[in-house]
Amino acid sequence: MPRLSEESPVIHSDCDLTDATFGRFVEIGHGSRVAHSRIGDYSYCDRYCDIANAEVGKFANIASFVRIGATDHPLRTASLHHFLYRSADYWDDAPHDADWFAARRARRAWIGHDTWLGHNAQIKPEVRIGHGAVVASGAIVTRDVAPYTIVAGVPARQVRLRQPVDVAERLVALAWWDWDHARLRAALADFRALPAAAFLEKHE
Ligand SMILES: CC(C)(COP(=O)(O)OP(=O)(O)OC[C@H]1O[C@@H](n2cnc3c(N)ncnc32)[C@H](O)[C@@H]1OP(=O)(O)O)[C@@H](O)C(=O)NCCC(=O)NCCS
């Protein structure tokens, strides 16, 4: 693990970045692709992630091989092949279909703060993962996920709460993810030692 930096993200080898913006202390794992997406402070992804058209909050933990925002091909047309919209790759006189690409980019996935997306999980376009939620390894998330819940399976369904609803609401209200770096450091021992409810008692 490299020492992370406030100044610029740590981008590991063989990444493919297009129209991607990064917050502070961000790390992008080897072989990952990030396109038309914003990755918030302290968030990271492990190896071979594919993140497209996504708003990723702060402190998101994205395991290897996660895919966010896998784009769709047209389903109503006579063909669904690339040639319909990547037309300039096939003919000199046929431009790409700009409207098609713009519509796909507008279908943004949204990943909240302090989330954990397990290995090889997939988050579909336009899905919102609430703050504090957990997506199990291998899940395919097709619907919004409520804050501080844990979902698993294909399609993903809730398996249990990460925190009781009242604690979840208090954590969202506390919004510790907006604290500055020094305040996080000062609270580090409490983050490590205290269950969430006790942490709230001390820091609300
Ligand atoms: C989601 C997760 C955090 C749940 O942890 P947990 O609450 O301790 O899970 P449990 O083992 O108690 O399982 C709870 C239920 O969810 C199911 N479940 C757990 N993980 C699952 C998965 N990945 N897919 C489908 N079902 C899963 C269990 O079968 C169990 O169901 P049951 O109650 O019907 O028996 C964990 O299983 C997981 O997927 N972690 C991600 C690991 C990972 O990707 N690490 C990469 C490095 S960051």
Side-chain angles (χ1 to χ4, degrees):
M1 273 284 290
R3 175 71 162 77
L4 300 177
S5 158
E6 195 164 4
E7 313 302 329
S8 55
V10 170
I11 308 287
H12 289 266
S13 53
D14 293 335
C15 286
D16 180 358
L17 309 177
T18 305
D19 181 25
T21 57
F22 303 102
R24 301 172 299 126
F25 301 104
V26 164
E27 181 174 13
I28 302 296
H30 168 83
S32 293
R33 180 169 68 164
V34 184
H36 313 294
S37 294
R38 190 160 51 199
I39 312 292
D41 298 345
Y42 302 90
S43 293
Y44 67 87
C45 69
D46 200 344
R47 289 158 292 164
Y48 298 108
C49 290
D50 192 333
I51 301 172
N53 309 320
E55 301 287 334
V56 177
K58 302 177 189 175
F59 300 91
N61 303 259
I62 303 177
S64 55
F65 292 91
V66 164
R67 183 150 197 188
I68 302 174
T71 50
D72 290 319
H73 288 229
L75 297 173
R76 283 178 298 189
T77 40
S79 170
L80 50 62
H81 187 265
H82 268 172
F83 82 84
L84 270 72
Y85 48 99
R86 297 189 180 278
S87 312
D89 294 345
Y90 299 87
W91 296 279
D92 292 333
D93 64 345
H96 281 2
D97 185 345
D99 290 347
W100 172 257
F101 286 105
R104 284 210 311 200
R105 276 175 205 158
R107 300 184 62 211
R108 302 189 69 74
W110 188 92
I111 313 297
H113 308 310
D114 199 38
T115 44
W116 179 22
L117 310 184
H119 173 87
N120 202 34
Q122 187 178 157
I123 316 297
K124 285 186 59 84
E126 296 180 290
V127 164
R128 292 176 69 87
I129 306 296
H131 298 317
V134 176
V135 174
S137 53
I140 298 188
V141 186
T142 59
R143 303 269 184 251
D144 291 356
V145 174
Y148 289 94
T149 59
I150 301 175
V151 298
V154 180
R157 302 278 187 238
Q158 186 174 311
V159 292
R160 66 180 178 86
L161 302 180
R162 175 183 159 195
Q163 294 290 342
V165 172
D166 61 318
V167 171
E169 287 174 354
R170 289 164 66 195
L171 285 167
V172 171
L174 183 67
W176 59 262
W177 35 76
D178 292 331
W179 292 356
D180 67 30
H181 203 56
R183 189 169 174 194
L184 284 172
R185 176 65 186 89
L188 177 59
D190 289 343
F191 272 111
R192 285 182 175 175
L194 300 178
F199 186 92
L200 285 162
E201 293 299 326
K202 189 164 176 185
H203 290 276
E204 278 176 329

